[in-house]
Amino acid sequence: MRDRVLSPWGRLMRWFRAARGASTKGATRSSNPIGAERDPKRLVTFSDAVIAIAVTLLVLEIQPPEDTEHLLRGLFELWPSYVAYAITFLLIGQMWVNHHVMFDHIRSADRMLLLLNTLLLMVIAFLPFASSLLAHAFESGHGQRTALIFYGATYEVAAILFNVIWEYARRGRRLLTSTTDNDTARAISRRFRPAPLWIAVGTALGALHPVVGLVVVVAFIPFYWLPIKGEVGSIQRAREQSKGDP
């Protein structure tokens, strides 16, 4: 009877208290899930679709020159759009790869994980706009610092959400696969944790000098494409276990 009179805010607070309680129950996987635990395959499929749409929208932000009489010069002047497209495509691709790395080790998803992943996808879907803003600022020569800060802040939120999703999933090992050992879980955490600081430094430098800030953010790309220690071994153990199942 009491649940019926709870306000929506009261129910939300109960939900978050339950989430916090679930993370402190120890290593018991079945302890107090936030809603029913589900197979994360549909979550991953939906995430792939959103990411695919986001990278497709990037190229649609590049508008052809209106002056076809001097087309070659007009195409050359679009170089900021090409650069923003390439950088953002690689960064989103990088997030897609690491999203799969995360969910290779997550065996189930509860409502809190679904919410956190939805917030991450919301930020990723916003990146084409941030990329377009950055390109237009460099093309016009005005507002470059503001555009770089806006661009970096968008990635900062995405990097923070990556960490929040993984740490929520691995706490107490409640949502992790049985083949994911503690060393692998810690290795993934170590890879994800520097990202918010790295992007924050690039954004701060961009407030002083936009090109320098952009270079720092771009340096983020090759590092996060590197494989994570323990990643291969954990996947091999999962495959061997699935082969051994009747």
Side-chain angles (χ1 to χ4, degrees):
M1 183 70 180
R2 185 180 176 184
D3 289 342
R4 296 179 182 175
V5 298
L6 277 176
S7 66
W9 173 251
R11 291 177 184 175
L12 184 62
M13 292 304 296
R14 275 185 49 179
W15 187 37
F16 276 96
R17 283 197 296 269
R20 185 174 58 183
S23 65
T24 60
K25 291 288 186 180
T28 304
R29 288 174 179 261
S30 60
S31 60
N32 198 19
I34 311 305
E37 293 187 7
R38 296 170 172 82
D39 189 318
K41 289 181 181 178
R42 289 186 65 187
L43 179 153
V44 173
T45 301
F46 178 65
S47 301
D48 287 347
V50 172
I51 292 171
I53 293 170
V55 294
T56 303
L57 290 175
L58 287 173
V59 73
L60 298 180
E61 294 295 336
I62 303 176
Q63 300 298 320
E66 295 181 1
D67 184 8
T68 54
E69 186 177 348
H70 304 91
L71 186 58
L72 183 61
R73 185 178 68 185
L75 289 171
F76 179 77
E77 291 174 350
L78 288 175
W79 69 265
S81 293
Y82 306 146
V83 171
Y85 166 79
I87 293 172
T88 309
F89 197 107
L90 288 173
L91 283 168
I92 293 178
Q94 178 188 92
M95 287 193 285
W96 172 71
V97 169
N98 285 302
H99 189 272
H100 274 276
V101 170
M102 278 199 301
F103 281 90
D104 283 342
H105 301 283
I106 295 175
R107 67 170 181 86
S108 61
D110 61 12
R111 280 188 175 270
M112 179 61 75
L113 194 69
L114 292 172
L115 170 63
L116 294 172
N117 191 75
T118 299
L119 294 175
L120 175 62
L121 295 178
M122 183 173 67
V123 176
I124 292 174
F126 189 73
L127 285 169
F129 172 72
S131 176
S132 177
L133 187 69
L134 184 69
H136 286 311
F138 274 86
E139 285 173 7
S140 67
H142 303 290
Q144 295 173 354
R145 287 182 174 83
T146 301
L148 195 283
I149 292 170
F150 189 83
Y151 187 78
T154 305
Y155 271 107
E156 179 73 12
V157 175
I160 292 171
L161 284 169
F162 253 96
N163 279 272
V164 171
I165 290 171
W166 177 247
E167 293 305 323
Y168 175 77
R170 74 179 283 252
R171 180 167 294 185
R173 297 184 55 84
R174 186 171 57 84
L175 300 179
L176 295 186
T177 63
S178 59
T179 55
T180 302
D181 56 33
N182 291 329
D183 289 339
T184 299
R186 284 193 292 267
I188 295 173
S189 292
R190 286 194 297 270
R191 175 61 62 85
F192 288 172
R193 283 173 185 166
L197 179 60
W198 192 324
I199 296 174
V201 170
T203 304
L205 290 173
L208 302 174
H209 197 293
V211 175
V212 173
L214 190 60
V215 168
V216 173
V217 173
V218 170
F220 182 78
I221 295 174
F223 177 76
Y224 274 85
W225 273 98
L226 295 173
I228 299 172
K229 183 179 178 181
E231 177 184 339
V232 176
S234 180
I235 298 303
Q236 288 176 341
R237 287 193 297 273
R239 289 175 179 171
E240 290 170 1
Q241 186 183 70
S242 62
K243 288 179 182 178
D245 292 340

